[in-house]
Coordinates of all heavy atoms in Angstrom, one line a residue:
M1 N 60.8 12.5 -26.3 CA 61.6 13.7 -25.9 C 60.7 14.9 -26.1 O 60.1 15.2 -27.1 CB 62.8 13.8 -26.6 CG 63.7 15.0 -26.2 SD 64.3 14.8 -24.6 CE 65.9 15.3 -24.8
L2 N 60.4 15.7 -25.0 CA 59.6 16.9 -25.0 C 60.4 18.0 -25.8 O 61.6 18.2 -25.5 CB 59.4 17.4 -23.6 CG 58.6 18.7 -23.5 CD1 57.2 18.5 -24.0 CD2 58.5 19.1 -22.0
K3 N 59.7 18.6 -26.8 CA 60.3 19.6 -27.6 C 59.9 20.9 -27.1 O 58.6 21.3 -27.2 CB 60.0 19.4 -29.1 CG 60.6 20.3 -30.0 CD 60.2 20.0 -31.4 CE 60.8 21.1 -32.4 NZ 60.2 20.9 -33.8
V4 N 60.8 21.8 -26.7 CA 60.4 23.1 -26.2 C 60.8 24.1 -27.3 O 61.8 24.2 -27.8 CB 61.2 23.5 -24.9 CG1 60.8 24.9 -24.5 CG2 60.8 22.5 -23.8
I5 N 59.8 24.9 -27.7 CA 59.9 25.8 -28.8 C 60.3 27.2 -28.2 O 59.8 27.7 -27.2 CB 58.6 26.0 -29.6 CG1 58.2 24.6 -30.2 CG2 58.7 27.0 -30.7 CD1 56.9 24.5 -30.7
A6 N 61.2 27.9 -28.9 CA 61.7 29.3 -28.5 C 60.5 30.2 -28.3 O 59.5 30.2 -29.1 CB 62.6 29.8 -29.6
G7 N 60.5 30.9 -27.2 CA 59.4 31.8 -26.8 C 58.6 31.2 -25.7 O 57.7 31.9 -25.2
G8 N 58.9 30.1 -25.2 CA 58.2 29.5 -24.1 C 57.0 28.7 -24.4 O 56.4 28.2 -23.5
Y9 N 56.7 28.5 -25.6 CA 55.5 27.7 -25.9 C 55.8 26.2 -25.8 O 56.8 25.7 -26.2 CB 55.1 28.0 -27.4 CG 53.9 27.1 -27.9 CD1 52.7 27.3 -27.5 CD2 54.2 26.0 -28.7 CE1 51.6 26.6 -27.9 CE2 53.2 25.3 -29.2 CZ 51.9 25.5 -28.8 OH 50.9 24.7 -29.2
V10 N 54.9 25.4 -25.1 CA 55.1 24.0 -25.0 C 53.9 23.3 -25.6 O 52.7 23.8 -25.5 CB 55.2 23.7 -23.4 CG1 55.3 22.2 -23.3 CG2 56.4 24.4 -22.8
E11 N 54.1 22.2 -26.3 CA 53.0 21.5 -27.0 C 52.0 21.0 -26.0 O 52.3 20.7 -24.8 CB 53.6 20.3 -27.7 CG 54.5 20.6 -28.8 CD 53.8 21.1 -30.1 OE1 52.6 20.8 -30.2 OE2 54.5 21.7 -30.9
P12 N 50.7 21.0 -26.3 CA 49.7 20.4 -25.4 C 50.0 19.0 -25.1 O 50.6 18.2 -25.8 CB 48.4 20.5 -26.2 CG 48.7 21.4 -27.4 CD 50.2 21.4 -27.6
G13 N 49.6 18.6 -23.9 CA 49.8 17.2 -23.5 C 51.2 16.9 -23.0 O 51.5 15.7 -22.9
S14 N 52.0 18.0 -22.7 CA 53.3 17.7 -22.2 C 53.4 16.9 -20.9 O 54.4 16.3 -20.6 CB 54.0 19.0 -22.0 OG 53.4 19.8 -20.9
T15 N 52.3 16.9 -20.2 CA 52.3 16.2 -18.9 C 52.2 14.7 -19.1 O 52.5 13.9 -18.2 CB 51.1 16.6 -18.0 OG1 49.9 16.5 -18.7 CG2 51.3 18.0 -17.5
Q16 N 51.9 14.3 -20.3 CA 51.9 12.9 -20.6 C 53.3 12.3 -20.6 O 53.6 11.1 -20.5 CB 51.3 12.6 -22.0 CG 49.8 12.9 -22.1 CD 49.0 12.0 -21.1 OE1 49.2 10.9 -21.1 NE2 48.1 12.7 -20.4
V17 N 54.3 13.1 -20.8 CA 55.7 12.7 -20.8 C 56.5 13.3 -19.6 O 57.7 13.0 -19.5 CB 56.4 13.0 -22.2 CG1 55.8 12.3 -23.3 CG2 56.4 14.6 -22.4
T18 N 55.9 14.1 -18.8 CA 56.6 14.7 -17.7 C 55.9 14.2 -16.4 O 54.7 14.5 -16.2 CB 56.5 16.2 -17.8 OG1 57.0 16.7 -19.0 CG2 57.3 16.9 -16.6
K19 N 56.6 13.5 -15.5 CA 56.0 13.0 -14.3 C 55.9 14.1 -13.3 O 56.7 14.4 -12.5 CB 56.9 11.8 -13.8 CG 56.8 10.6 -14.7 CD 57.3 9.4 -14.1 CE 57.0 8.2 -15.1 NZ 57.5 6.9 -14.5
T20 N 54.7 14.8 -13.3 CA 54.5 16.0 -12.5 C 54.3 15.6 -11.0 O 54.2 16.4 -10.2 CB 53.2 16.7 -13.1 OG1 52.2 15.8 -13.3 CG2 53.6 17.5 -14.3
G21 N 54.1 14.3 -10.7 CA 53.9 13.9 -9.4 C 55.1 14.0 -8.5 O 55.0 13.9 -7.3
A22 N 56.3 14.3 -9.1 CA 57.5 14.3 -8.3 C 57.6 15.4 -7.3 O 58.3 15.3 -6.3 CB 58.7 14.4 -9.3
W23 N 56.9 16.6 -7.5 CA 57.0 17.6 -6.6 C 55.7 17.9 -5.8 O 55.6 18.9 -5.1 CB 57.4 18.9 -7.4 CG 56.6 19.1 -8.7 CD1 57.0 18.7 -9.9 CD2 55.4 19.8 -8.8 NE1 56.1 19.1 -10.8 CE2 55.1 19.7 -10.2 CE3 54.5 20.4 -8.0 CZ2 53.9 20.3 -10.7 CZ3 53.3 20.9 -8.5 CH2 53.0 20.9 -9.9
R24 N 54.9 16.8 -5.7 CA 53.6 17.0 -5.0 C 53.8 17.1 -3.5 O 54.7 16.4 -3.0 CB 52.7 15.7 -5.4 CG 51.4 15.6 -4.7 CD 50.8 14.3 -5.2 NE 51.6 13.2 -4.9 CZ 52.0 12.3 -5.7 NH1 51.6 12.4 -7.0 NH2 52.8 11.3 -5.4
T25 N 52.9 17.8 -2.8 CA 53.0 17.8 -1.3 C 51.8 17.1 -0.8 O 51.9 16.4 0.2 CB 52.9 19.3 -0.8 OG1 54.1 20.0 -1.4 CG2 53.0 19.4 0.7
F26 N 50.6 17.2 -1.4 CA 49.4 16.6 -0.9 C 48.9 15.6 -2.0 O 49.2 15.7 -3.2 CB 48.3 17.5 -0.7 CG 48.5 18.4 0.4 CD1 49.1 19.7 0.3 CD2 48.1 18.0 1.7 CE1 49.4 20.5 1.4 CE2 48.3 18.8 2.9 CZ 48.9 20.1 2.7
V27 N 48.4 14.4 -1.5 CA 48.0 13.4 -2.3 C 46.4 13.1 -2.2 O 46.0 13.1 -1.0 CB 48.8 12.1 -2.0 CG1 48.6 11.6 -0.7 CG2 48.6 11.0 -3.0
P28 N 45.7 12.9 -3.3 CA 44.3 12.6 -3.1 C 44.1 11.1 -2.8 O 44.7 10.2 -3.3 CB 43.8 12.9 -4.5 CG 44.9 12.7 -5.5 CD 46.1 12.9 -4.7
V29 N 43.2 10.9 -1.8 CA 42.8 9.6 -1.4 C 41.3 9.5 -1.6 O 40.5 10.3 -1.1 CB 43.2 9.3 0.1 CG1 42.7 7.9 0.5 CG2 44.7 9.4 0.3
V30 N 40.9 8.5 -2.5 CA 39.5 8.3 -2.7 C 38.9 7.3 -1.8 O 39.3 6.2 -1.7 CB 39.4 7.8 -4.2 CG1 37.9 7.7 -4.6 CG2 40.1 8.8 -5.2
D31 N 37.8 7.7 -1.2 CA 37.0 6.8 -0.4 C 36.0 6.1 -1.3 O 35.0 6.7 -1.8 CB 36.2 7.6 0.7 CG 35.4 6.7 1.6 OD1 35.2 5.5 1.3 OD2 34.9 7.1 2.7
Q32 N 36.3 4.9 -1.8 CA 35.5 4.2 -2.8 C 34.1 3.9 -2.3 O 33.3 3.8 -3.2 CB 36.3 3.0 -3.2 CG 37.7 3.2 -3.7 CD 37.7 4.0 -5.2 OE1 36.7 4.1 -5.8 NE2 38.8 4.5 -5.5
K33 N 33.9 3.9 -1.1 CA 32.6 3.6 -0.5 C 31.6 4.8 -0.7 O 30.4 4.6 -0.9 CB 32.6 3.2 1.0 CG 33.2 1.9 1.2 CD 33.2 1.6 2.7 CE 33.9 0.2 2.9 NZ 34.6 0.1 4.2
R34 N 32.2 6.0 -0.7 CA 31.4 7.2 -0.9 C 31.3 7.6 -2.4 O 30.4 8.3 -2.8 CB 32.1 8.4 -0.2 CG 32.0 8.3 1.2 CD 32.6 9.6 1.9 NE 31.7 10.8 1.6 CZ 30.7 11.1 2.4 NH1 30.4 10.4 3.5 NH2 29.9 12.2 2.0
C35 N 32.2 7.1 -3.3 CA 32.2 7.4 -4.7 C 31.0 6.9 -5.4 O 30.6 5.7 -5.3 CB 33.5 6.8 -5.3 SG 33.6 7.1 -7.1
S36 N 30.3 7.8 -6.1 CA 29.1 7.5 -6.9 C 29.4 7.2 -8.4 O 28.5 7.0 -9.2 CB 28.1 8.6 -6.8 OG 28.6 9.8 -7.5
K37 N 30.8 7.2 -8.7 CA 31.2 7.0 -10.1 C 30.6 8.0 -11.1 O 30.4 7.6 -12.2 CB 31.0 5.5 -10.5 CG 31.5 4.6 -9.4 CD 31.8 3.2 -10.0 CE 32.1 2.2 -8.9 NZ 33.0 2.7 -7.8
C38 N 30.6 9.2 -10.7 CA 30.0 10.3 -11.6 C 31.1 10.7 -12.6 O 30.7 11.4 -13.6 CB 29.5 11.5 -10.8 SG 30.9 12.4 -10.0
S39 N 32.3 10.5 -12.3 CA 33.5 10.8 -13.2 C 33.8 12.3 -13.3 O 34.6 12.7 -14.1 CB 33.3 10.2 -14.6 OG 32.5 11.0 -15.4
L40 N 33.2 13.1 -12.4 CA 33.6 14.5 -12.4 C 35.1 14.8 -12.1 O 35.7 15.6 -12.6 CB 32.7 15.3 -11.4 CG 31.3 15.6 -11.9 CD1 30.6 16.3 -10.8 CD2 31.3 16.4 -13.2
C41 N 35.6 13.9 -11.2 CA 37.1 14.1 -10.9 C 38.0 13.8 -12.1 O 38.9 14.5 -12.4 CB 37.5 13.1 -9.8 SG 37.1 11.4 -10.1
E42 N 37.6 12.9 -13.0 CA 38.3 12.6 -14.2 C 38.2 13.8 -15.2 O 39.1 14.1 -15.8 CB 37.7 11.3 -14.8 CG 38.4 10.9 -16.0 CD 37.8 9.7 -16.7 OE1 36.6 9.4 -16.4 OE2 38.5 8.9 -17.3
I43 N 37.0 14.3 -15.2 CA 36.8 15.4 -16.1 C 37.6 16.7 -15.8 O 38.2 17.3 -16.5 CB 35.2 15.7 -16.2 CG1 34.5 14.6 -16.9 CG2 35.0 17.1 -17.0 CD1 33.0 14.6 -16.7
Y44 N 37.6 17.0 -14.4 CA 38.2 18.2 -14.0 C 39.7 18.1 -13.7 O 40.4 19.2 -13.8 CB 37.5 18.7 -12.6 CG 36.3 19.4 -12.8 CD1 35.0 18.9 -12.7 CD2 36.3 20.8 -13.2 CE1 33.8 19.5 -12.8 CE2 35.1 21.5 -13.4 CZ 33.9 20.9 -13.2 OH 32.7 21.6 -13.4
C45 N 40.2 17.0 -13.6 CA 41.7 16.9 -13.3 C 42.5 17.5 -14.5 O 42.4 17.0 -15.6 CB 42.1 15.4 -13.1 SG 43.9 15.2 -12.9
P46 N 43.3 18.5 -14.1 CA 44.1 19.2 -15.2 C 45.1 18.3 -15.8 O 45.7 18.6 -16.9 CB 44.6 20.4 -14.5 CG 44.6 20.0 -13.0 CD 43.5 19.1 -12.8
E47 N 45.6 17.2 -15.1 CA 46.6 16.4 -15.7 C 46.0 15.2 -16.3 O 46.8 14.4 -16.9 CB 47.5 16.0 -14.5 CG 48.2 17.1 -13.7 CD 49.0 18.0 -14.6 OE1 49.6 17.5 -15.6 OE2 49.1 19.2 -14.3
G48 N 44.8 15.1 -16.3 CA 44.1 13.9 -16.9 C 44.6 12.6 -16.3 O 44.7 11.6 -17.0
C49 N 44.9 12.6 -15.0 CA 45.6 11.4 -14.4 C 44.7 10.6 -13.5 O 45.1 9.6 -12.9 CB 46.8 11.9 -13.7 SG 46.6 12.8 -12.2
I50 N 43.4 11.0 -13.4 CA 42.5 10.2 -12.5 C 41.5 9.5 -13.4 O 40.9 10.1 -14.2 CB 41.8 11.0 -11.4 CG1 41.0 10.2 -10.5 CG2 41.0 12.2 -11.9 CD1 40.7 10.8 -9.1
R51 N 41.6 8.2 -13.4 CA 40.8 7.4 -14.3 C 40.1 6.2 -13.6 O 40.6 5.8 -12.6 CB 41.6 6.9 -15.4 CG 42.3 7.9 -16.3 CD 42.7 7.4 -17.6 NE 43.2 8.5 -18.5 CZ 44.5 8.8 -18.7 NH1 45.4 8.0 -18.2 NH2 44.8 9.7 -19.5
M52 N 39.1 5.6 -14.3 CA 38.5 4.4 -13.8 C 39.4 3.2 -14.1 O 39.7 3.1 -15.3 CB 37.1 4.3 -14.3 CG 36.4 3.1 -13.7 SD 34.7 2.8 -14.4 CE 33.8 3.8 -13.2
V53 N 39.7 2.5 -13.1 CA 40.5 1.3 -13.3 C 39.8 0.1 -12.6 O 39.5 0.2 -11.3 CB 41.9 1.4 -12.7 CG1 42.7 0.2 -12.9 CG2 42.7 2.7 -13.3
E54 N 39.3 -0.8 -13.3 CA 38.6 -1.9 -12.8 C 37.4 -1.5 -11.9 O 37.2 -1.9 -10.8 CB 39.5 -2.9 -12.1 CG 40.6 -3.5 -12.9 CD 41.5 -4.4 -12.2 OE1 41.3 -4.6 -11.0 OE2 42.4 -5.0 -12.9
G55 N 36.7 -0.5 -12.4 CA 35.5 0.0 -11.7 C 35.7 1.0 -10.6 O 34.8 1.5 -9.9
L56 N 37.0 1.4 -10.3 CA 37.3 2.4 -9.3 C 38.0 3.6 -9.9 O 38.9 3.4 -10.7 CB 38.2 1.7 -8.3 CG 37.7 0.5 -7.5 CD1 38.7 -0.1 -6.6 CD2 36.4 0.7 -6.8
F57 N 37.7 4.7 -9.4 CA 38.4 5.9 -9.8 C 39.7 6.1 -9.0 O 39.6 6.2 -7.7 CB 37.6 7.2 -9.7 CG 36.6 7.4 -10.8 CD1 35.4 6.7 -10.8 CD2 37.0 8.0 -12.0 CE1 34.5 6.8 -11.9 CE2 36.1 8.1 -13.1 CZ 34.8 7.5 -13.1
I58 N 40.8 6.1 -9.7 CA 42.1 6.1 -9.0 C 43.1 7.0 -9.7 O 43.2 7.0 -10.9 CB 42.8 4.6 -9.1 CG1 41.8 3.7 -8.3 CG2 44.2 4.6 -8.5 CD1 42.2 2.2 -8.5
P59 N 43.7 8.0 -8.9 CA 44.7 8.8 -9.5 C 46.0 8.1 -9.8 O 46.5 7.3 -9.0 CB 44.9 9.9 -8.4 CG 44.4 9.3 -7.2 CD 43.5 8.2 -7.5
D60 N 46.6 8.4 -10.9 CA 47.9 7.9 -11.3 C 48.9 8.9 -10.6 O 49.1 10.0 -11.0 CB 48.1 7.9 -12.8 CG 49.5 7.4 -13.1 OD1 50.4 7.3 -12.3 OD2 49.6 6.9 -14.3
L61 N 49.6 8.4 -9.5 CA 50.4 9.2 -8.7 C 51.7 9.7 -9.4 O 52.4 10.6 -8.9 CB 50.7 8.6 -7.3 CG 49.3 8.4 -6.5 CD1 49.7 7.8 -5.1 CD2 48.6 9.7 -6.3
D62 N 52.1 9.1 -10.5 CA 53.2 9.5 -11.2 C 53.0 10.9 -11.9 O 53.9 11.6 -12.2 CB 53.6 8.5 -12.4 CG 54.3 7.3 -11.9 OD1 54.8 7.4 -10.8 OD2 54.3 6.3 -12.6
Y63 N 51.7 11.2 -12.1 CA 51.3 12.4 -12.8 C 50.5 13.4 -12.0 O 50.3 14.5 -12.3 CB 50.6 12.1 -14.1 CG 51.5 11.3 -15.0 CD1 51.4 9.9 -15.1 CD2 52.5 11.9 -15.8 CE1 52.2 9.2 -15.9 CE2 53.3 11.2 -16.6 CZ 53.1 9.8 -16.7 OH 53.9 9.0 -17.4
C64 N 49.9 12.9 -10.9 CA 49.1 13.8 -10.0 C 50.0 14.8 -9.3 O 50.9 14.5 -8.7 CB 48.4 12.9 -8.9 SG 47.7 13.9 -7.6
K65 N 49.7 16.1 -9.4 CA 50.5 17.2 -8.9 C 49.9 17.6 -7.5 O 50.4 18.6 -7.0 CB 50.6 18.3 -9.8 CG 49.4 19.0 -10.2 CD 49.6 20.1 -11.3 CE 48.3 20.7 -11.8 NZ 48.5 21.6 -12.9
G66 N 48.8 17.0 -7.1 CA 48.3 17.3 -5.7 C 47.6 18.7 -5.7 O 47.5 19.3 -4.6
C67 N 47.0 19.1 -6.8 CA 46.3 20.4 -6.8 C 45.0 20.5 -6.0 O 44.5 21.6 -5.8 CB 46.1 20.8 -8.3 SG 44.8 19.8 -9.1
S68 N 44.4 19.4 -5.8 CA 43.1 19.2 -5.1 C 41.9 19.6 -5.8 O 40.8 19.7 -5.2 CB 43.2 19.9 -3.7 OG 43.0 21.3 -3.8
I69 N 42.0 19.8 -7.1 CA 40.8 20.2 -7.8 C 39.8 19.1 -7.8 O 38.6 19.3 -7.6 CB 41.2 20.6 -9.3 CG1 41.9 21.9 -9.3 CG2 39.9 20.6 -10.2 CD1 42.5 22.3 -10.7
C70 N 40.3 17.8 -7.9 CA 39.3 16.7 -7.9 C 38.6 16.6 -6.6 O 37.4 16.4 -6.5 CB 40.1 15.4 -8.1 SG 41.5 15.1 -6.9
A71 N 39.3 16.9 -5.5 CA 38.6 16.9 -4.2 C 37.6 18.0 -4.0 O 36.5 17.8 -3.5 CB 39.7 17.0 -3.0
H72 N 38.0 19.1 -4.6 CA 37.0 20.3 -4.5 C 35.8 20.0 -5.4 O 34.7 20.5 -4.9 CB 37.8 21.5 -5.1 CG 36.9 22.8 -5.1 ND1 36.7 23.5 -3.9 CD2 36.2 23.4 -6.0 CE1 35.9 24.5 -4.2 NE2 35.6 24.5 -5.5
E73 N 35.9 19.4 -6.5 CA 34.8 19.2 -7.4 C 34.0 17.9 -7.1 O 32.8 17.8 -7.5 CB 35.3 19.1 -8.9 CG 36.0 20.3 -9.4 CD 35.0 21.5 -9.3 OE1 33.8 21.4 -9.5 OE2 35.6 22.7 -9.3
C74 N 34.4 17.0 -6.3 CA 33.7 15.8 -6.0 C 32.4 16.1 -5.3 O 32.5 16.6 -4.1 CB 34.6 14.9 -5.2 SG 33.7 13.4 -4.7
P75 N 31.2 15.8 -5.8 CA 30.0 16.2 -5.2 C 29.7 15.3 -4.0 O 28.9 15.6 -3.1 CB 29.0 15.9 -6.3 CG 29.6 14.9 -7.2 CD 31.0 15.2 -7.1
R76 N 30.4 14.2 -3.8 CA 30.2 13.2 -2.7 C 31.2 13.5 -1.6 O 31.2 12.7 -0.6 CB 30.2 11.8 -3.2 CG 29.1 11.5 -4.2 CD 27.7 11.4 -3.5 NE 27.7 10.5 -2.4 CZ 27.2 9.3 -2.5 NH1 26.8 8.8 -3.7 NH2 27.2 8.5 -1.4
K77 N 32.2 14.4 -1.8 CA 33.3 14.6 -0.8 C 34.0 13.2 -0.6 O 34.3 12.9 0.6 CB 32.7 15.2 0.5 CG 32.0 16.5 0.3 CD 33.0 17.6 -0.2 CE 32.3 18.9 -0.5 NZ 32.9 19.7 -1.5
A78 N 34.2 12.5 -1.7 CA 34.8 11.2 -1.5 C 36.3 11.2 -1.6 O 37.0 10.2 -1.4 CB 34.3 10.3 -2.6
I79 N 36.8 12.5 -2.0 CA 38.3 12.6 -2.1 C 38.8 13.5 -1.0 O 38.4 14.6 -0.8 CB 38.7 13.1 -3.5 CG1 38.1 12.2 -4.6 CG2 40.2 13.3 -3.6 CD1 38.3 12.7 -6.0
T80 N 39.8 13.0 -0.3 CA 40.5 13.7 0.8 C 42.0 13.9 0.4 O 42.6 13.0 -0.1 CB 40.4 13.0 2.1 OG1 39.1 12.7 2.4 CG2 40.9 13.9 3.3
M81 N 42.4 15.2 0.6 CA 43.8 15.5 0.3 C 44.6 15.3 1.6 O 44.3 15.9 2.6 CB 44.0 16.9 -0.2 CG 43.3 17.2 -1.4 SD 43.6 16.2 -2.9 CE 45.4 16.6 -3.2
V82 N 45.6 14.4 1.6 CA 46.4 14.2 2.8 C 47.9 14.5 2.5 O 48.4 14.4 1.3 CB 46.3 12.7 3.3 CG1 44.8 12.4 3.6 CG2 46.8 11.7 2.2
L83 N 48.5 14.9 3.5 CA 50.0 15.2 3.3 C 50.8 13.9 3.0 O 50.6 12.9 3.6 CB 50.6 15.8 4.7 CG 51.9 16.4 4.7 CD1 51.9 17.7 3.7 CD2 52.3 16.8 6.1
E84 N 51.5 14.1 1.9 CA 52.3 12.9 1.4 C 53.5 12.7 2.3 O 54.2 13.6 2.5 CB 52.6 13.0 -0.1 CG 53.3 11.7 -0.6 CD 53.4 11.8 -2.1 OE1 53.5 12.9 -2.7 OE2 53.3 10.7 -2.6
E85 N 53.7 11.4 2.6 CA 54.9 11.1 3.4 C 56.0 10.7 2.3 O 55.7 9.9 1.5 CB 54.7 9.9 4.4 CG 53.7 10.3 5.5 CD 53.5 9.1 6.4 OE1 54.4 8.3 6.5 OE2 52.5 9.2 7.1
K86 N 57.1 11.3 2.3 CA 58.2 11.0 1.4 C 59.3 10.2 2.0 O 59.5 10.3 3.2 CB 58.7 12.3 0.8 CG 57.6 13.2 0.1 CD 57.9 13.4 -1.3 CE 56.7 14.2 -1.9 NZ 56.8 14.5 -3.2
Ligands
SF4_101 S1 34.1 13.0 -8.4 FE1 33.9 11.9 -6.5 S2 32.0 10.7 -6.6 FE2 32.6 11.3 -8.7 S3 33.8 9.6 -9.6 FE3 35.2 11.1 -8.6 S4 35.5 10.4 -6.5 FE4 33.6 9.4 -7.3
SF4_102 S1 45.0 16.3 -7.1 FE1 44.9 17.5 -9.0 S2 46.3 16.4 -10.4 FE2 45.9 15.0 -8.7 S3 44.2 13.7 -9.4 FE3 43.3 15.5 -8.3 S4 42.9 17.0 -9.8 FE4 44.3 15.5 -10.7

């Protein structure tokens, strides 16, 4: 259970228990053929939700908020943001 402290302060790592992907508009799609596995997307993702899984960098869509930072930082332009169909 997330504990919110009076004054608006929230403990770090709150996104680990809050599924921020619920209000996303755009979703990152990784072109694995273009990916060089540099891990910059993992480093820059503010939600810490893009990770290597079985050799592929894949965003966890339960927590991805669609901010597009990963796509902006990818040096290979391997990540495309597409409108999510709900
Ligand atoms: S930043 Fe781009 S090239 Fe680097 S691991 Fe992520 S998707 Fe692959
Ligand atoms: S769109 Fe934002 S939240 Fe989603 S994986 Fe990329 S950097 Fe992380």
Side-chain angles (χ1 to χ4, degrees):
M1 180 68 138
L2 179 65
K3 183 179 174 187
V4 178
I5 300 168
Y9 174 77
V10 178
E11 295 284 342
S14 63
T15 55
Q16 294 296 313
V17 294
T18 307
K19 292 194 174 181
T20 47
W23 44 268
R24 178 183 57 238
T25 303
F26 290 93
V27 62
V29 176
V30 182
D31 180 346
Q32 299 294 344
K33 290 181 184 149
R34 292 186 66 87
C35 175
S36 65
K37 310 208 186 319
C38 68
S39 80
L40 283 177
C41 54
E42 181 179 29
I43 293 166
Y44 277 101
C45 175
E47 303 301 326
C49 68
I50 184 162
R51 296 202 176 103
M52 184 180 272
V53 179
E54 297 180 1
L56 304 175
F57 280 89
I58 297 173
D60 183 338
L61 298 182
D62 280 343
Y63 299 96
C64 168
K65 62 187 178 186
C67 68
S68 82
I69 290 174
C70 56
H72 181 77
E73 296 299 333
C74 175
R76 299 289 303 266
K77 302 295 177 211
I79 303 176
T80 305
M81 301 302 296
V82 300
L83 192 62
E84 183 168 32
E85 293 181 26
K86 304 238 177 179

